[in-house]
Amino acid sequence: MANNKVLISGVQTSELKVLTNEEMIELFKKMHNGDTFARNDLVNGNLKLVLSILRKVNAKNENLDDLFQVGCIGLVKAIDNFDLSHEVKFSTYAVPMILGEIKRYLRDNNSIRVSRSTRDLAYKALKLKEVYFMENGKEISVEKLAEALEVTVYDVVYALESLKDPLSMFEPIYNDGGDTIYVYDQIEDKKKTGSVMEEKLATNDAVSSLNERERLILNERYIIGKTQMEIAEDMNISQAQVSRLEKNAIKQLKKTLR
């Protein structure tokens, strides 16, 4: 999409026109005087802005045509609401609106269902954040958001967090060239009874075949329920080392218990 000729929603991206700031101002003046053709020229002259935003959006499984059309909706809203008297560049005003429209689309099409009330609160919070940033040039604090929306800080944080994309437990988060550490390695093991692993660990002969450090790591991980990161901090070693020792210990246990 960067330098090649790409067709998106019937638009040849390599042939898109880019308006100068002077051309933009002139077209906005014409549009505000009722010239509908000027509005169309403003849309066509800013389609590359939509494309530049799409490049930064992480949406691997989404249809690019759909996202482009959604971004164009945000662009049209920005054009219709832009006020020349604010003396702000159009792109500065339009980017948050286009990005917000795309993010709303992605959230609404999320496979995780979020309650209507929580989603409405999140949208209000996001809208307020956009307005505050446009007026003040900085992010609003969560405390001020909660005060303005007349809810608790927890409600605001929960609403915004609930709209984030889900992360797979098998998502790799670190690799030092050896064993890969995944999200599930960071999750506390809260199971206390009944698991096959714990029954095997209870077998004294098998456990005694491990060295002291391996026994300590398995005890911390599967009996106490600590994460690899917590164990690494306690033992003053890296998480990658903890991961390797844990996997080696489990491999040795499986071999002994066969």
Side-chain angles (χ1 to χ4, degrees):
M1 190 168 64
N3 296 316
N4 300 326
K5 292 184 177 181
V6 180
L7 194 68
I8 301 178
S9 297
V11 177
Q12 184 57 258
T13 59
S14 64
E15 299 174 358
L16 291 176
K17 181 183 178 182
V18 178
L19 296 171
T20 65
N21 191 51
E22 291 73 19
E23 289 175 325
M24 203 101 69
I25 293 173
E26 189 61 31
L27 285 171
F28 269 114
K29 289 178 178 177
K30 289 181 179 180
M31 185 188 81
H32 292 154
N33 288 326
D35 189 338
T36 56
F37 292 105
R39 183 173 182 267
N40 292 336
D41 288 341
L42 280 166
V43 172
N44 293 326
N46 284 280
L47 292 179
K48 275 199 172 180
L49 181 60
V50 177
L51 290 175
S52 68
I53 294 172
L54 287 183
R55 293 192 186 102
K56 301 175 184 178
V57 175
N58 183 20
K60 301 175 185 176
N61 300 320
E62 295 293 332
N63 184 288
L64 192 58
D65 282 355
D66 291 343
L67 290 181
F68 181 71
Q69 291 177 36
V70 171
C72 288
I73 292 173
L75 172 62
V76 171
K77 288 182 179 180
I79 290 172
D80 289 344
N81 290 282
F82 184 63
D83 189 343
L84 284 172
S85 64
H86 289 161
E87 297 184 356
V88 175
K89 272 192 172 184
F90 175 70
S91 58
T92 303
Y93 176 80
V95 167
M97 294 194 72
I98 296 170
L99 188 57
E101 200 71 32
I102 293 171
K103 286 184 175 180
R104 276 189 287 274
Y105 170 81
L106 293 174
R107 285 192 295 268
D108 287 344
N109 286 273
N110 198 317
S111 58
I112 303 299
R113 303 301 299 172
V114 179
S115 71
R116 180 62 182 270
S117 59
T118 299
R119 189 170 58 192
D120 287 347
L121 176 59
Y123 289 163
K124 288 178 183 177
L126 290 171
K127 180 64 176 177
L128 189 57
K129 286 179 70 174
E130 289 178 7
V131 172
Y132 187 90
F133 183 81
M134 292 301 302
E135 293 178 349
N136 300 278
K138 62 181 181 179
E139 294 288 343
I140 187 174
S141 68
V142 178
E143 290 76 16
K144 286 185 177 180
L145 269 178
E147 183 180 350
L149 295 170
E150 298 182 341
V151 296
T152 66
V153 171
Y154 172 82
D155 289 334
V156 173
V157 173
Y158 177 78
L160 293 174
E161 288 292 324
S162 70
L163 296 184
K164 289 186 176 180
D165 292 333
L167 186 66
S168 168
M169 286 181 61
F170 300 99
E171 184 80 16
I173 58 174
Y174 178 78
N175 189 308
D176 65 346
D179 293 328
T180 300
I181 295 172
Y182 299 91
V183 171
Y184 68 77
D185 290 322
Q186 298 286 312
I187 300 174
E188 179 181 347
D189 190 336
K190 295 184 178 180
K191 293 187 290 184
K192 298 298 180 183
T193 59
S195 73
V196 175
M197 178 57 72
E198 287 183 13
E199 291 174 3
K200 290 181 178 180
L201 291 177
T203 306
N204 292 332
D205 289 342
V207 175
S208 62
S209 68
L210 305 174
N211 63 46
E212 184 178 351
R213 192 155 64 162
E214 289 172 338
R215 288 199 301 271
L216 174 62
I217 288 174
L218 290 182
N219 183 70
E220 296 279 285
R221 276 287 279 156
Y222 297 100
I223 302 301
I224 297 177
K226 289 185 178 181
T227 66
Q228 288 184 349
M229 183 64 75
E230 291 170 333
I231 297 171
E233 290 177 357
D234 292 342
M235 298 180 68
N236 198 28
I237 59 177
S238 70
Q239 186 182 351
Q241 286 178 286
V242 173
S243 178
R244 279 195 291 271
L245 287 167
E246 179 185 336
K247 290 175 181 176
N248 287 337
I250 292 173
K251 183 178 180 181
Q252 181 62 36
L253 279 177
K254 288 180 178 179
K255 186 185 296 184
T256 304
L257 291 168
R258 277 176 183 166

